[in-house]
Amino acid sequence: MSIEFKNITKTYDQAPVLENINAEIENGEFFAVVGPSGCGKSTLLRMLAGLIDITDGIIKINGKQINGLAAKDRNLTMVFQDYALFPFLNVEDNIAFGLKARKMPEEEIKKRVAHALEMVDLSDYKERKPRDLSGGQRQRVALARAIASDAKICLMDEPLSNLDAQLRVKMRSEIRDLQQKLGLTLIYVTHDQIEAMTMADHIMVLNDKHVQQIDTPLGIYNQPANEFVANFFGSPKINILSGNYQSNNHEITIDKYLKIKVNKKLDKNDYVVGIRPNQMDFETIDNLKEGNASVKNVSNLGSQTIVSALLDNGQTVRIVKENQLSIAPGERIKATSRGDAFVFDPEKRNLAAISVGV
Amino acid sequence: MEEENNLLDAKKQNILENSKKSILANKISVKKNDKFYALLFLGPSLLLLILFIFYPMLKTIYLSLFLTNGNGQNTVFVGLENYVSLLTSSTYLASLGSTFVYVIGVSVLTIFLGLLLASTASKNVRGSVFFRTIFSSTMGVSISVSAIFWLFIFNPSIGILNQVAAFFHLPILNWSTDPNLAMISVIISTVWMNLGFAFLVLFSAFESLPLSLYEETAIEGVGPVYRFMHVTIPLISPTLFFVSIITLIESFKSFGLIDLMTAGGPNNATNMLVYQIYQNAFLNGNYSQASAESVILTIIIAILTFIQFKYLEKKVSY
């Protein structure tokens, strides 16, 4: 089942919440919609589901326009953030609810429910009420209900945000496996960039009513369309610094040691530079008068060390090193760039140039 | 030297014992304090309960076992005689019957209409806030005002109802003289009075329904009737249970509307249990019989509430 959004616009009382959204989703694709809260990602999902009206534009499923179609006739299923389980029904009846309402034959319902329960490994819990299940199990009941409906398009609205961190990691791979096994076209809404990066085939980044970028996870990471996307993806966060462009040597200078080379000629003086923390480096300096920054904070994560430092010109940088370091706040360092960096236009904030190595 | 040491030891011992004593004393005083504070906090409500509930209750049971004179003084102990004469009196049994008709009519209609209004008002349409206020406004109307208001409507000669009926050439009905119509008019007025409360409580239950469950049913293609019966009703069942018990008990106890609208008439058609108690005690001066009736009414309400808890609560899903 392929899906197409064409110039989708949604307004509430004349105030637009989404403007000119265009996207194409292929059959069997895991498509993540990512953005900060309030960016309209859930609204987009609900328009596709048929739960709210489309103000303007066209949505197609398999090439067929579905704008006026009722939710039930769109042949899709949805998993909600709060799981939307009926508290008064046990697991089995929760999964069978929609099938019963559609008056499916008893035999078929039984078969589907059993199959779905097996898929999510909950066969032993079918008599339980939702309140007697853990968060992860409830989540799986919701997944089982989606499986039982046999729809080939599945929409998920932040399905993992109510789970604890460890369970979230586990469910990520389970959902991905399920999607592959059933050949689902899955639209997955999340505010968590790691979820999107690890699960999706393609990611749509939404912010401020507009699509910022649609690309593969690596495409988004390696070539962010603008400062927002660069800022949103990657952990720890990218360093956004201001620098001056020198046309004679195609260099952008942030301070006396922190410089990057750009791959093309630019026409402005001031630019915004994005350098990922792992593309920064530093060495410790004994003399307090030298170097270009003082260490503010050190986080040792075991496999890596995150150092945050204050440059002498007042900007803060985060630097990641892939080893354990003994360095303390207050120490002087010389912070430098390893080479890879993004250059953004100071006004429009979109990507102006890329720097690859010095 | 040794003596001095001994003296010191004795002093230490003394201090130790003293401190033990004071600790013990402290403990006791804490316990005493606890009881004192418990009584202090419980006191006012306990006093009110004893004064206005427990004492009258026991006194009523006591009175129901005697014959009383016109001043309410006991004369002869008659045991259960009052109860026997009540349960064999055709007037009382008729009153029991009409009370049940009234209570069932009021409860069923109140809950049905309350559900209807609450589910309508909870839809987010233009003007629903206005209607929410209107629907719950009967809570602010006093019983006497609404009784007079309904009397104006039902009055056979000048009432609005009959005037409208005349305008449309419909039969003109004698609301105050026909026993069946009198019962219906009392039921309608009581339902109208109760509806504000039922609406408000049910409406709040409708407002707290989780949206995602309804989105789920929309995607699953569940029809509106099926959805109401299989999703909405189970979800609001705790509230529904609460409203049904309150409405049932309240309608058993209703007095003001009946007193003002029909005074038990015509021909005892609307002479409910509570109204009969009032008549016996304060019009006929038959306190012992009124007491016995009160005891029976209490038992009926207790049994019905028990049945509701026992059977209805099983169907309630929290």
Side-chain angles (χ1 to χ4, degrees):
Chain A
M1 294 284 200
S2 63
I3 299 165
E4 195 181 341
F5 294 98
K6 260 187 161 173
N7 291 321
I8 294 295
T9 295
K10 176 72 188 174
T11 56
Y12 283 116
D13 297 329
Q14 264 114 59
V17 287
L18 285 171
E19 272 177 348
N20 284 321
I21 306 295
N22 286 292
E24 280 175 41
I25 300 162
E26 276 170 34
N27 184 30
E29 196 177 325
F30 196 124
F31 190 85
V33 181
V34 190
S37 54
C39 73
K41 52 192 193 300
S42 285
T43 306
L44 187 67
L45 198 72
R46 279 170 167 70
M47 282 196 282
L48 174 59
L51 298 171
I52 52 178
D53 293 335
I54 303 159
T55 310
D56 204 6
I58 295 170
I59 299 181
K60 289 180 177 176
I61 293 181
N62 268 356
K64 213 178 104 218
Q65 186 174 335
I66 52 139
N67 281 41
L69 220 56
K72 66 184 167 76
D73 299 323
R74 297 188 181 194
N75 195 22
L76 42 77
T77 172
M78 190 158 167
V79 175
F80 295 88
Q81 182 174 5
D82 62 359
Y83 319 133
L85 300 180
F86 300 102
F88 46 87
L89 295 178
N90 65 24
V91 169
E92 201 175 13
D93 292 337
N94 255 297
I95 298 170
F97 185 85
L99 310 177
K100 275 185 189 160
R102 268 181 273 161
K103 302 209 167 63
M104 190 174 276
E106 198 76 22
E107 290 277 296
E108 176 72 12
I109 294 179
K110 269 205 172 140
K111 222 173 73 189
R112 283 201 191 186
V113 171
H115 170 71
L117 279 170
E118 210 175 299
M119 290 290 283
V120 298
D121 204 14
L122 272 183
S123 300
D124 296 340
Y125 295 86
K126 60 183 178 187
E127 304 287 339
R128 297 239 193 135
K129 288 271 177 71
R131 64 164 174 272
D132 300 324
L133 298 175
S134 70
Q137 287 166 337
R138 279 180 216 172
Q139 171 66 68
R140 281 205 218 127
V141 177
L143 288 178
R145 189 163 60 185
I147 295 167
S149 84
D150 213 22
K152 285 297 165 211
I153 297 177
C154 183
L155 314 181
M156 296 195 181
D157 187 8
E158 309 226 6
L160 303 183
S161 55
N162 285 357
L163 301 179
D164 65 64
Q166 283 193 9
L167 203 53
R168 218 177 294 167
V169 175
K170 187 164 171 272
M171 290 306 292
R172 280 211 295 254
S173 60
E174 276 187 33
I175 289 178
R176 179 72 178 159
D177 283 352
L178 218 56
Q179 181 258 341
Q180 299 276 314
K181 234 184 263 174
L182 300 169
L184 295 175
T185 306
L186 205 153
I187 322 292
Y188 189 100
V189 163
T190 180
H191 63 267
D192 183 345
Q193 48 104 3
I194 296 178
E195 265 176 32
M197 291 288 286
T198 51
M199 297 166 88
D201 296 316
H202 281 97
I203 297 174
M204 174 199 272
V205 187
L206 268 182
N207 185 44
D208 192 24
K209 298 170 254 177
H210 292 99
V211 174
Q212 305 293 320
Q213 189 170 6
I214 301 177
D215 209 334
T216 60
L218 283 184
I220 284 192
Y221 188 81
N222 293 335
Q223 283 206 300
N226 54 38
E227 189 193 326
F228 174 82
V229 177
N231 224 332
F232 204 81
F233 285 83
S235 173
K237 255 190 175 161
I238 196 167
N239 295 300
I240 300 291
L241 307 162
S242 58
N244 294 314
Y245 174 66
Q246 268 94 42
S247 51
N248 52 356
N249 54 2
H250 295 318
E251 243 181 20
I252 294 181
T253 312
I254 294 146
D255 71 7
K256 59 184 169 179
Y257 296 121
L258 197 51
K259 295 171 185 181
I260 61 158
K261 263 217 157 25
V262 283
N263 57 356
K264 61 179 178 190
K265 199 169 156 31
L266 298 170
D267 50 10
K268 291 182 184 163
N269 286 330
D270 299 321
Y271 280 92
V272 175
V273 179
I275 311 174
R276 297 214 184 268
N278 59 4
Q279 288 301 317
M280 299 262 314
D281 201 358
F282 71 85
E283 52 192 80
T284 46
I285 305 282
D286 287 336
N287 190 337
L288 280 179
K289 282 177 188 145
E290 291 186 22
N292 61 350
S294 335
V295 175
K296 265 199 327 194
N297 202 339
V298 181
S299 314
N300 261 305
L301 303 183
S303 63
Q304 52 176 221
T305 308
I306 304 168
V307 173
S308 108
L310 187 67
L311 292 177
D312 292 340
N313 64 14
Q315 308 192 71
T316 302
V317 289
R318 286 171 298 275
I319 307 167
V320 169
K321 284 221 187 194
E322 297 299 320
N323 49 16
Q324 301 181 359
L325 295 177
S326 52
I327 184 167
E331 281 189 49
R332 286 296 287 177
I333 57 169
K334 183 174 141 189
T336 52
S337 153
R338 287 178 198 269
D340 287 6
F342 310 112
V343 180
F344 301 109
D345 188 278
E347 276 106 42
K348 286 182 279 180
R349 301 272 160 175
N350 52 0
L351 194 64
I354 287 186
S355 151
V356 187
V358 183
Chain B
M1 246 337 236
E2 213 165 285
E3 257 179 32
E4 254 176 43
N5 267 346
N6 274 346
L7 212 82
L8 266 172
D9 272 357
K11 264 188 183 171
K12 270 184 197 163
Q13 203 73 27
N14 218 347
I15 290 166
L16 258 173
E17 251 163 41
N18 271 341
S19 67
K20 263 187 199 162
K21 263 184 206 163
S22 71
I23 287 170
L24 240 118
N26 248 337
K27 266 191 186 163
I28 290 167
S29 72
V30 164
K31 271 193 179 160
K32 267 186 187 164
N33 265 340
D34 275 357
K35 269 190 184 160
F36 171 73
Y37 280 120
L39 270 178
L40 190 72
F41 287 126
L42 287 175
S45 60
L46 211 59
L47 192 74
L48 287 174
L49 277 175
I50 289 170
L51 219 59
F52 293 108
I53 306 283
F54 298 138
Y55 171 71
M57 211 160 82
L58 292 174
K59 182 80 177 181
T60 305
I61 294 171
Y62 177 72
L63 278 176
S64 73
L65 304 174
F66 287 83
L67 285 182
T68 44
N69 64 17
N71 296 329
Q73 286 150 335
N74 294 342
T75 49
V76 195
F77 177 81
V78 291
L80 295 175
E81 194 66 38
N82 282 322
Y83 293 94
V84 174
S85 79
L86 268 180
L87 292 173
T88 51
S89 133
S90 59
T91 330
Y92 186 74
L93 292 178
S95 160
L96 204 64
S98 54
T99 306
F100 274 105
V101 170
Y102 172 78
V103 165
I104 289 167
V106 167
S107 303
V108 170
L109 279 176
T110 305
I111 287 165
F112 176 75
L113 291 175
L115 268 178
L116 196 73
L117 293 185
S119 70
T120 316
S122 68
K123 299 215 166 60
N124 240 338
V125 289
R126 214 169 273 271
S128 59
V129 176
F130 172 73
F131 280 104
R132 283 169 209 172
T133 318
I134 295 293
F135 290 161
S136 49
S137 63
T138 60
M139 284 185 75
V141 180
S142 87
I143 290 177
S144 46
V145 170
S146 68
I148 288 164
F149 159 76
W150 280 103
L151 276 177
F152 272 126
I153 291 179
F154 285 122
N155 188 299
S157 47
I158 61 157
I160 297 162
L161 206 58
N162 274 349
Q163 283 185 16
V164 172
F167 183 80
F168 288 108
H169 302 290
L170 292 169
I172 297 202
L173 301 170
N174 268 326
W175 290 97
S176 53
T177 52
D178 183 310
N180 288 332
L181 290 180
M183 174 62 95
I184 291 173
S185 69
V186 173
I187 289 178
I188 290 175
S189 327
T190 315
V191 168
W192 183 83
M193 276 298 293
N194 287 354
L195 207 51
F197 173 75
F199 164 77
L200 204 68
V201 177
L202 288 171
F203 174 70
S204 72
F206 271 95
E207 284 294 281
S208 61
L209 291 174
L211 178 67
S212 64
L213 285 183
Y214 287 84
E215 291 184 327
E216 169 68 22
T217 57
I219 286 172
E220 299 265 21
V222 179
V225 178
Y226 191 91
R227 184 180 61 206
F228 189 77
M229 297 309 293
H230 289 87
V231 180
T232 308
I233 293 287
L235 283 173
I236 62 166
S237 58
T239 313
L240 214 51
F241 178 60
F242 167 76
V243 172
S244 69
I245 287 187
I246 297 289
T247 311
L248 194 86
I249 293 175
E250 281 302 310
S251 50
F252 257 111
K253 288 167 32 185
S254 63
F255 169 79
L257 262 178
I258 289 161
D259 185 39
L260 291 162
M261 284 185 71
T262 63
N267 200 12
N268 283 335
T270 58
N271 198 349
M272 316 297 175
L273 293 180
V274 173
Y275 197 70
Q276 213 167 56
I277 293 169
Y278 159 78
Q279 278 184 324
N280 264 335
F282 303 109
L283 300 180
N284 305 339
N286 194 345
Y287 293 103
S288 56
Q289 191 131 44
S291 300
E293 286 179 67
S294 303
V295 173
I296 291 175
L297 180 62
T298 309
I299 291 169
I300 291 173
I301 293 179
I303 289 172
L304 283 177
T305 311
F306 177 76
I307 291 172
Q308 273 188 315
F309 264 101
K310 186 135 174 109
Y311 293 99
L312 219 54
E313 208 187 15
K314 277 190 190 154
K315 300 206 168 151
V316 170
S317 49
Y318 290 100

Coordinates of all heavy atoms in Angstrom, one line a residue, chain A residues 46 51 71-72 76 78 80 82 84-85 87-88 97-98 101-102 131 145, chain B residues 210 212-213 215-222 226 230-231 234-235 317-318:
Chain A
R46 N -3.7 11.9 11.9 CA -5.1 11.7 12.1 C -5.9 12.1 10.8 O -7.0 11.6 10.5 CB -5.6 12.6 13.2 CG -5.4 11.9 14.6 CD -5.6 12.7 15.8 NE -5.6 11.9 17.0 CZ -4.6 11.3 17.5 NH1 -3.4 11.4 16.9 NH2 -4.7 10.5 18.6
L51 N -9.7 10.7 10.9 CA -10.3 11.1 12.2 C -10.5 12.6 12.2 O -11.4 13.0 13.0 CB -9.3 10.7 13.4 CG -9.1 9.2 13.5 CD1 -8.0 8.9 14.6 CD2 -10.4 8.5 13.9
A71 N -13.2 6.8 8.1 CA -12.0 6.1 8.7 C -12.0 4.6 8.5 O -11.0 4.0 8.2 CB -11.8 6.5 10.2
K72 N -13.2 4.0 8.7 CA -13.3 2.6 8.7 C -13.1 2.0 7.3 O -12.7 0.8 7.1 CB -14.6 2.1 9.2 CG -15.8 2.5 8.4 CD -17.1 2.1 9.0 CE -18.3 2.7 8.4 NZ -18.8 2.2 7.1
L76 N -7.0 0.7 7.3 CA -5.8 0.9 8.1 C -6.1 0.7 9.6 O -7.2 0.6 10.0 CB -5.2 2.3 7.8 CG -6.1 3.5 7.8 CD1 -6.5 3.9 9.1 CD2 -5.4 4.6 7.0
M78 N -4.6 1.6 13.8 CA -3.8 2.7 14.5 C -3.5 2.2 15.9 O -4.3 1.6 16.6 CB -4.6 4.0 14.5 CG -3.8 5.1 15.0 SD -4.6 6.7 14.4 CE -3.7 7.9 15.5
F80 N -2.3 3.7 19.5 CA -2.3 5.0 20.2 C -1.3 5.1 21.3 O -0.8 4.1 21.8 CB -3.7 5.3 20.7 CG -4.7 5.5 19.7 CD1 -5.4 4.4 19.2 CD2 -5.0 6.7 19.1 CE1 -6.4 4.5 18.2 CE2 -6.0 6.8 18.2 CZ -6.7 5.7 17.7
D82 N -1.7 6.1 24.3 CA -2.2 5.5 25.6 C -2.8 4.1 25.3 O -3.5 3.6 26.2 CB -3.2 6.4 26.2 CG -4.5 6.6 25.4 OD1 -4.5 6.1 24.3 OD2 -5.4 7.4 25.8
A84 N -5.2 2.9 24.0 CA -6.7 2.9 23.7 C -7.3 1.5 23.9 O -8.0 1.0 23.1 CB -7.0 3.3 22.3
L85 N -6.9 0.9 25.0 CA -7.5 -0.4 25.4 C -8.8 -0.2 26.2 O -8.9 0.7 26.9 CB -6.5 -1.3 26.2 CG -5.2 -1.6 25.5 CD1 -4.3 -2.4 26.5 CD2 -5.4 -2.3 24.2
P87 N -10.9 -0.8 29.1 CA -10.5 -1.2 30.5 C -11.4 -2.3 31.0 O -11.0 -3.1 31.8 CB -10.7 0.0 31.3 CG -11.6 0.9 30.6 CD -11.3 0.6 29.1
F88 N -12.6 -2.4 30.4 CA -13.6 -3.4 30.9 C -13.6 -4.7 30.2 O -14.3 -5.6 30.5 CB -15.0 -2.8 30.9 CG -15.3 -2.1 29.6 CD1 -15.8 -2.9 28.5 CD2 -15.1 -0.8 29.4 CE1 -16.1 -2.2 27.3 CE2 -15.3 -0.1 28.2 CZ -15.8 -0.9 27.2
F97 N -12.5 -6.9 19.6 CA -13.6 -5.9 19.6 C -14.0 -5.5 18.3 O -15.2 -5.5 17.9 CB -13.2 -4.8 20.5 CG -14.3 -3.8 20.7 CD1 -15.2 -3.9 21.7 CD2 -14.4 -2.6 19.9 CE1 -16.3 -3.0 21.9 CE2 -15.4 -1.7 20.0 CZ -16.4 -1.9 21.0
G98 N -13.1 -5.0 17.5 CA -13.4 -4.4 16.2 C -14.0 -5.5 15.2 O -14.9 -5.2 14.5
A101 N -17.5 -6.2 16.2 CA -18.4 -5.1 15.8 C -18.7 -5.1 14.3 O -19.7 -4.7 13.9 CB -17.7 -3.7 16.2
R102 N -17.7 -5.6 13.5 CA -17.9 -5.8 12.1 C -18.6 -7.1 11.7 O -18.7 -7.4 10.6 CB -16.6 -5.6 11.4 CG -16.3 -4.2 11.0 CD -15.0 -4.1 10.2 NE -13.8 -4.0 11.2 CZ -12.6 -4.2 10.9 NH1 -12.3 -4.7 9.7 NH2 -11.6 -4.1 11.8
R131 N -5.7 -3.6 33.2 CA -5.1 -3.0 34.5 C -4.2 -4.0 35.2 O -3.4 -3.7 36.0 CB -6.2 -2.6 35.4 CG -7.1 -3.7 35.9 CD -7.9 -3.2 37.2 NE -8.9 -4.3 37.5 CZ -10.1 -4.4 37.0 NH1 -10.5 -3.4 36.2 NH2 -10.9 -5.3 37.4
R145 N -3.9 -6.1 18.4 CA -5.1 -5.6 17.8 C -4.9 -5.1 16.4 O -5.7 -5.4 15.5 CB -5.8 -4.5 18.7 CG -7.2 -4.2 18.3 CD -7.9 -3.4 19.4 NE -7.1 -2.2 19.7 CZ -7.5 -1.3 20.7 NH1 -8.5 -1.6 21.5 NH2 -6.8 -0.3 20.9
Chain B
P210 N -12.0 8.8 27.5 CA -10.7 9.0 26.8 C -11.0 9.0 25.3 O -11.7 8.2 24.7 CB -9.9 7.7 27.1 CG -10.9 6.8 27.6 CD -12.1 7.5 28.2
S212 N -9.0 8.6 22.7 CA -8.4 7.6 21.9 C -9.3 6.4 21.7 O -9.3 5.8 20.6 CB -7.0 7.2 22.4 OG -7.2 6.6 23.7
L213 N -10.1 6.0 22.7 CA -10.9 4.9 22.6 C -12.0 5.1 21.5 O -12.3 4.2 20.7 CB -11.7 4.6 23.9 CG -10.8 3.9 25.0 CD1 -11.7 3.7 26.2 CD2 -10.2 2.6 24.5
E215 N -11.5 7.2 18.9 CA -10.8 7.2 17.6 C -10.6 5.8 17.2 O -10.8 5.4 16.0 CB -9.5 7.9 17.8 CG -9.6 9.4 18.0 CD -8.3 10.1 18.1 OE1 -7.3 9.6 18.6 OE2 -8.2 11.3 17.6
E216 N -10.3 4.9 18.1 CA -10.1 3.5 17.8 C -11.4 2.9 17.2 O -11.4 2.2 16.2 CB -9.7 2.8 19.1 CG -9.8 1.2 19.0 CD -8.7 0.6 18.1 OE1 -7.7 1.3 17.9 OE2 -8.9 -0.5 17.7
T217 N -12.6 3.2 17.8 CA -13.8 2.7 17.3 C -14.1 3.2 16.0 O -14.7 2.5 15.1 CB -15.0 3.0 18.3 OG1 -15.1 4.4 18.5 CG2 -14.8 2.3 19.6
A218 N -13.7 4.5 15.7 CA -14.0 5.1 14.4 C -13.2 4.3 13.3 O -13.7 4.0 12.2 CB -13.6 6.6 14.4
I219 N -11.9 4.0 13.6 CA -11.1 3.2 12.7 C -11.6 1.8 12.5 O -11.6 1.3 11.4 CB -9.6 3.3 13.2 CG1 -9.1 4.7 13.0 CG2 -8.8 2.2 12.4 CD1 -7.7 4.9 13.6
E220 N -12.1 1.2 13.6 CA -12.6 -0.1 13.6 C -13.9 -0.2 12.9 O -14.4 -1.3 12.5 CB -12.7 -0.7 15.0 CG -11.4 -0.8 15.7 CD -10.8 -2.2 15.6 OE1 -11.1 -2.9 14.7 OE2 -9.9 -2.5 16.5
G221 N -14.6 0.9 12.7 CA -15.9 0.9 12.0 C -17.0 0.5 12.9 O -17.9 -0.2 12.4
V222 N -17.0 0.9 14.1 CA -18.0 0.5 15.1 C -19.2 1.5 14.9 O -19.0 2.7 14.9 CB -17.5 0.5 16.5 CG1 -18.6 0.1 17.5 CG2 -16.3 -0.4 16.7
Y226 N -23.9 0.5 18.7 CA -23.0 -0.5 19.2 C -21.9 0.1 20.1 O -21.6 -0.3 21.2 CB -22.3 -1.3 18.1 CG -21.5 -2.5 18.5 CD1 -22.1 -3.8 18.5 CD2 -20.2 -2.5 18.9 CE1 -21.5 -4.9 18.9 CE2 -19.5 -3.6 19.3 CZ -20.1 -4.8 19.3 OH -19.5 -5.9 19.7
H230 N -21.6 -0.7 24.0 CA -20.5 -1.5 24.3 C -19.2 -0.8 24.7 O -18.3 -1.4 25.2 CB -20.1 -2.5 23.1 CG -21.1 -3.5 22.9 ND1 -22.3 -3.3 22.1 CD2 -21.2 -4.8 23.4 CE1 -23.0 -4.5 22.1 NE2 -22.4 -5.4 22.9
V231 N -19.2 0.5 24.5 CA -18.1 1.3 24.9 C -18.5 2.4 26.0 O -18.0 2.4 27.1 CB -17.4 2.0 23.7 CG1 -16.2 2.8 24.2 CG2 -16.9 1.0 22.7
P234 N -20.3 0.9 29.4 CA -19.4 0.3 30.4 C -18.4 1.3 31.0 O -18.1 1.2 32.2 CB -18.6 -0.7 29.5 CG -19.5 -1.0 28.4 CD -20.3 0.2 28.1
L235 N -18.0 2.3 30.2 CA -17.0 3.3 30.7 C -17.7 4.2 31.8 O -17.0 4.6 32.7 CB -16.5 4.1 29.6 CG -15.4 3.5 28.7 CD1 -15.1 4.4 27.5 CD2 -14.2 3.2 29.5
S317 N -17.8 -1.6 35.7 CA -16.4 -1.8 35.6 C -15.6 -0.6 35.9 O -15.9 0.5 35.4 CB -16.1 -2.2 34.1 OG -16.7 -1.3 33.2
Y318 N -14.8 -0.7 36.9 CA -14.1 0.5 37.4 C -12.8 0.7 36.6 O -12.2 -0.3 36.2 CB -13.8 0.4 38.9 CG -15.1 0.6 39.7 CD1 -15.7 -0.5 40.2 CD2 -15.6 1.8 39.9 CE1 -16.8 -0.4 40.9 CE2 -16.8 2.0 40.6 CZ -17.4 0.9 41.1 OH -18.5 1.0 41.9

